[in-house]
Amino acid sequence: MRQLIVCLMALWLAACSAQPSTAPASPSAPPSASPIAGPVNPANIKRVRSALPAGYEIAEVSGPLSAAGLWGFGSGWTAAPGQCAALADPAPDDRGARGYSASGSGGIVYVVVAVPGQGVPDHGLIGDCANWTMAFAHTTGDVILAPTSDAPHVDGADTVAMTVTTRTVVESGTETDGQALTAQAYLDGHVVFVTLVTEPGSPHPPLDSRVVGDLLVATVSALRG
C-alpha cells in the first residue's frame, strides 16, 4: 500500500506512470499554462464538458459538494487533525456548487466550482495537514498533501493537491479499497476542484493522474472565459 501511495504522489510530476491516458491529449497547453486572470463565471463550467475523457458517461452534479463526499465519506465524517477537514470540504454550505462527473473504465472524474466557506488555506494549515486521516462508519482514509511545489500550477490561483487511500471493512471482514486524487484552485472568491476516483485491482488501466492537472487548468480557463 505504501508503494501505491508513493507512486500516486510521484505522478503529479509525471514520473511514475507508464499507463496511457484515455483522456484527450493537450500537447500545446501544459498544466502550467493558463490565461490572464479574469472574473470567474460559474455558469461557464458547461464549457469544460468537451475536455472530459472521450467515451465516458457524463452527468451534471450540483451542491453542496465536497472532495470528501466524492471520496466516499458520508455526512458526519471526521478528520484528524480536525482542522484538515477544511481541505476535504472547502465549500460545505454552497448549494449553488455545480459541475460534471465522467465515469468510464478508467475511473470517475469530477469537476466542480463552488464558493468556499473560508479563504485560501494558509501555510499553517498546509503544514499541519501534510499527512492526516479521516473516518466515517466502516470507512477510514489516509490523506497525503502534495508539497505546494508539486501541485498543478494555475496562474493567478492558489492550488492544493491531495491523494487519499480508503478502506471499508464490513462486519463479515470483507475489505474494499479505493484511491483518489484531488486538485483544488482558489481564485476570485471561488474554489475549483477536480477529483479522480479509481479502484485498485480493476482489470482496466486507470486514467493518468495528469488528467487531474489538465482538467484543473482547462476548468479555470473556461470559468474565466
Side-chain angles (χ1 to χ4, degrees):
M1 185 64 69
R2 174 59 58 183
Q3 183 179 2
L4 287 172
I5 294 174
V6 171
C7 185
L8 281 171
M9 290 299 297
L11 277 173
W12 289 111
L13 299 178
C16 182
S17 174
Q19 299 284 2
S21 172
T22 56
S26 52
S28 61
S32 60
S34 59
I36 296 175
V40 168
N41 182 358
N44 287 348
I45 190 71
K46 61 182 180 293
R47 298 180 180 178
V48 81
R49 186 179 180 119
S50 61
L52 296 171
Y56 275 50
E57 183 178 350
I58 298 174
E60 293 185 10
V61 295
S62 58
L65 296 162
S66 70
L70 303 180
W71 296 343
F73 291 88
S75 178
W77 58 270
T78 59
Q83 63 267 30
C84 302
L87 295 174
D89 190 6
D93 301 318
D94 184 14
R95 297 186 178 277
R98 65 183 78 178
Y100 290 97
S101 67
S103 58
S105 60
I108 307 174
V109 62
Y110 300 88
V111 180
V112 175
V113 58
V115 175
Q118 302 179 23
V120 177
D122 60 31
H123 293 294
L125 181 63
I126 298 299
D128 291 341
C129 300
N131 194 334
W132 49 287
T133 60
M134 297 175 61
F136 170 74
H138 300 289
T139 301
T140 59
D142 294 314
V143 186
I144 297 177
L145 197 65
T148 302
S149 59
D150 291 356
H153 177 76
V154 178
D155 289 345
D158 292 279
T159 58
V160 175
M162 298 167 281
T163 66
V164 60
T165 301
T166 63
R167 299 176 202 81
T168 300
V169 181
V170 297
E171 293 180 359
S172 64
T174 302
E175 179 177 321
T176 302
D177 296 333
Q179 294 170 349
L181 303 171
T182 291
Q184 299 174 164
Y186 294 80
L187 68 162
D188 192 31
H190 292 78
V191 59
V192 178
F193 58 93
V194 179
T195 292
L196 170 62
V197 180
T198 58
E199 180 183 349
S202 170
H204 306 288
L207 287 171
D208 193 299
S209 70
R210 287 172 294 184
V211 169
V212 174
D214 289 344
L215 276 175
L216 189 67
V217 171
T219 304
V220 170
S221 177
L223 293 171
R224 286 171 167 170

